[in-house]
Amino acid sequence: MTRSFRIGQIVPSSNTTMETEIPAMLRAREAVEPERFTFHSSRMRMKKVTREELAAMDDESDRCALELSDAAVDVMGYACLVAIMSRGAGYHRESQSRLHGVTVENGHPTPVVSSAGALTEGLGVLGARRVAIITPYMKPLTQMVIEYIEAEGIQVVDSIALEIPDNLEVGRRDPLALTEIVKRLDITEADAVVLSACVQMPSLASIQQVEDSLGLPVVSAATCTTYQILKQLKLRPRVPNAGRLLNGSYG
């Protein structure tokens, strides 16, 4: 029997990637598994990736959760990693709990995952304790991401910050460019590579290619979020050609 699930996404207003990559992964999954998915979004205003805009945007997330709850979605994904991380170590737990509470109060209790929590949890599933990462952020925000990841017990052994402040420009990047950029990472001590520590920087087209080349697990904020969405739906986390985390072995 084919089951249908509604996927809700809370996204920055200038984000163009999570509503592309997550549906692409779940559409690919539909070719090998019986479930079907529809996608529904609510947006928070944000144009420049600065601490001030990120904080103002995060303040709108409760409204978004309420709107998506009206649609009785089956799971919600908070699709802005750096907005969560900018609010301090471990904030994804507080955010997810609060947003879930909004759905409970609205009469449609809904599990909530965040790309920030999903990234660190996905690395934990893989057993990665040392990682190398690529971000599109300015260096101060990249350092903030590093500190957040390390507060979760995962050491960042190397990083590349592409220093792109405009969120639309980030979303327009060629995902295949990462196959060259990753060669500048020092992965000597890494257990895994985070090819895009940002839900807006496209990377899906490169994930499997880079993983095959490096011989290490390769993830992104988007692949980790997809893993957690599938887990919350109690579905086997299997997506073809999306890296080791989604190969169906980590159910």
Side-chain angles (χ1 to χ4, degrees):
M1 179 181 295
T2 299
R3 292 184 294 168
S4 180
F5 296 94
R6 296 172 179 164
I7 309 300
Q9 293 198 72
I10 300 171
V11 296
S13 57
S14 54
N15 187 291
T16 55
T17 302
M18 283 301 265
E19 292 157 310
T20 303
E21 291 199 338
I22 286 184
M25 282 184 269
L26 294 181
R27 293 292 181 233
R29 188 183 186 281
E30 288 178 348
V32 295
E33 299 287 353
E35 295 81 22
R36 298 296 177 261
F37 304 90
T38 61
F39 305 92
H40 314 275
S41 298
S42 183
R43 310 184 87 75
M44 312 167 285
R45 288 297 306 281
M46 191 271 282
K47 296 173 72 175
K48 301 291 185 182
V49 188
T50 64
R51 281 183 179 270
E52 294 75 21
E53 284 207 31
L54 290 168
M57 183 194 73
D58 181 57
D59 289 341
E60 295 187 51
S61 60
D62 288 46
R63 170 187 57 78
C64 294
L66 183 63
E67 291 174 359
L68 291 170
S69 179
D70 286 344
V73 296
D74 295 296
V75 63
M76 293 184 198
Y78 187 135
C80 189
L81 177 139
V82 73
I84 294 287
M85 291 188 173
S86 69
R87 294 227 147 167
Y91 177 71
H92 66 275
R93 298 179 182 86
E94 176 184 337
S95 173
Q96 291 167 195
S97 176
R98 189 185 71 249
L99 297 178
H100 174 67
V102 170
T103 72
V104 172
E105 291 176 6
N106 198 37
H108 293 290
T110 309
V112 178
V113 304
S114 68
S115 52
L119 179 64
T120 56
E121 289 158 11
L123 292 169
V125 168
L126 291 167
R129 308 314 301 167
R130 298 175 300 277
V131 299
I133 71 172
I134 300 173
T135 86
Y137 311 128
M138 306 303 286
K139 287 182 180 178
L141 280 180
T142 297
Q143 182 59 37
M144 180 194 69
V145 170
I146 291 170
E147 291 170 2
Y148 195 99
I149 292 172
E150 292 193 332
E152 295 293 315
I154 300 166
Q155 181 184 0
V156 178
V157 297
D158 195 26
S159 65
I160 293 173
L162 299 179
E163 299 195 273
I164 308 168
D166 188 297
N167 207 38
L168 280 177
E169 184 181 347
V170 172
R172 293 189 183 105
R173 289 190 58 82
D174 178 1
L176 292 176
L178 289 166
T179 61
E180 293 299 318
I181 294 169
V182 74
K183 294 175 182 177
R184 294 160 30 203
L185 273 180
D186 182 355
I187 62 168
T188 307
E189 298 181 357
D191 301 319
V193 169
V194 181
L195 201 59
S196 176
C198 172
V199 295
Q200 173 71 332
M201 186 165 70
S203 63
L204 181 58
S206 294
I207 294 284
Q208 192 67 57
Q209 181 177 338
V210 172
E211 182 171 285
D212 292 344
S213 174
L214 299 182
L216 291 173
V218 173
V219 300
S220 69
T223 63
C224 290
T225 301
T226 299
Y227 176 88
Q228 289 297 335
I229 285 172
L230 291 170
K231 290 291 287 183
Q232 289 295 331
L233 294 174
K234 296 179 170 54
L235 299 175
R236 183 185 180 196
R238 180 188 180 200
V239 175
N241 299 312
R244 194 177 306 180
L245 181 65
L246 288 167
N247 71 5
S249 299
Y250 296 93

